[in-house]
């Protein structure tokens, strides 16, 4: 008998272009996890609209993100790849879960406070409700595990609280998900300020390498990366944050170990080292970018992937939603 795989859920917002930090911290993991788990991977467009989006860009970014994931090796035959808004169950379950979530809990969420400060002119209900929608995403699929970065940890904790609260109020309904927190690459730093996480919305774009940066741009940005006044290529995040960050990137892109990389660059100046890191990244990204462009030219294929994804997502999610509606006393016909 085939062993039942555990269910894994993850999602990404189709907002700004992804950086190699997202690639190392998320996309690469999605690829590695897809054979071990029954994976549901969503493009979270409903979360994206909690801050104002330009409609044409949101549409374009949704498709381009899908193409990027497939180009990176996420296989639509192995996992369920879909757009969140294509499955109405998310909004429906979020509504029910709202009644099991306290306003005070949402007001205390770190990301809500940060985003409220950043978008003070648009502190909408969706921004505050964001974690409840995320809980609905996860709980609809009876998810066992959720790979999340540290920034989403609090949202996963509240998801667990909501699930337990509902299960206790009725009877076991939701699987209570566990977080898996990837170690390597979870925190690729900004090239100009390695103490900060490499971000798609950093003030200075020269500190971030985007997945669609061309070779010259990549090499130019690495040339400017901060190092230190020493000359040794050695992994020491406390005293050599810049060099260590570059080593992390290099190893993530080449599959080499830190020790191998240190040996390779022993006695080598920082200039040559930075060039080598830039070349390794550019070499790896070129075929991904070409494949992404090829896929984007085949819209019929991408639409087919999303259609099949939405059908499977709906089939699974709707079972959970029906159970929930029954338990809370919605009249069934
Ligand atoms: N909020 C997540 C982020 O910005 C994206 C997301 C939406 C998500 N729903 C999710 C992540 C469910 C994991 C599980 O990164």
């Amino acid at each position: 008998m085939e062993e039942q795989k555990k269910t894994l859920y993850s999602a990404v917002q189709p907002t700004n272009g992804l950086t190699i930090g997202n690639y190392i911290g998320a996309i690469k993991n999605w690829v590695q996890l897809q054979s071990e788990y029954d994976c549901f991977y969503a493009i979270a467009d409903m979360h994206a609209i909690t801050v104002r989006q330009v409609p044409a860009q949101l549409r374009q970014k949704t498709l381009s993100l899908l193409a990027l994931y497939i180009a990176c090796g996420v296989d639509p035959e192995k996992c369920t790849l879909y757009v969140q808004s294509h499955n109405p169950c998310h909004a429906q379950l979020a509504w029910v879960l709202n009644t099991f979530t306290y306003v005070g809990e949402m007001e205390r969420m770190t990301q809500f406070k940060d985003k409220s400060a950043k978008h003070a002119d648009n502190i909408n209900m969706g921004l505050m409700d964001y974690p409840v929608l995320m809980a609905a995403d996860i709980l609809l699929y009876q998810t066992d595990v959720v790979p999340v970065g540290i920034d989403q940890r609090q949202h996963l904790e509240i998801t667990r609280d909501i699930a337990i609260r509902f299960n206790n109020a009725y009877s076991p309904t939701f699987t209570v998900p566990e977080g898996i927190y990837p170690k390597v690459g979870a925190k690729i730093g900004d090239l100009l300020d390695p103490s900060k996480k490499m971000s798609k919305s950093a003030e200075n774009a020269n500190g971030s390498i985007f997945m669609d940066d061309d070779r010259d741009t990549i090499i130019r940005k690495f040339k400017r990366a901060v190092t230190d006044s020493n000359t040794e290529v050695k992994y020491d995040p406390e005293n050599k944050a810049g060099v260590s960050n570059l080593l992390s990137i290099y190893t993530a892109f080449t599959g080499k170990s830190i020790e191998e990389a240190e040996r390779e660059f022993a006695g080598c100046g920082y200039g040559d080292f930075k060039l080598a890191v830039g070349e390794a990244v550019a070499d790896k990204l070129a075929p991904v970018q070409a494949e992404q462009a090829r896929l984007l030219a085949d819209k019929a294929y991408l639409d087919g992937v999303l259609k099949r994804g939405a059908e499977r997502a709906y089939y699974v999610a709707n079972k959970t939603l029906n159970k929930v509606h029954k338990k809370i006393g919605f009249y069934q016909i």
Side-chain angles (χ1 to χ4, degrees), residues 256-308:
K256 293 178 186 167
S257 69
I258 294 281
E259 295 73 37
E260 277 177 287
E262 282 175 344
R263 242 177 285 132
E264 184 178 343
F265 296 111
C268 164
Y270 282 164
D272 289 342
F273 168 55
K274 291 198 274 188
L275 181 64
V277 180
E279 283 178 341
V281 172
D283 286 349
K284 186 84 181 219
L285 290 189
V288 169
Q289 292 168 348
E291 178 62 1
Q292 184 190 19
R294 190 192 67 79
L295 288 164
L296 279 170
D298 191 352
K299 200 168 161 296
Y301 168 74
L302 294 177
D303 284 355
V305 166
L306 290 183
K307 191 157 180 292
R308 276 180 283 130

Side-chain angles (χ1 to χ4, degrees), residues 9-13 44 47 130 134 137-138 146 148 151-152 155:
Y9 192 95
S10 193
V12 63
Q13 295 189 55
H47 278 105
Y130 181 112
M134 191 161 149
D137 297 345
I138 296 167
V146 185
V148 277
D151 60 324
Q152 296 298 317
H155 293 161

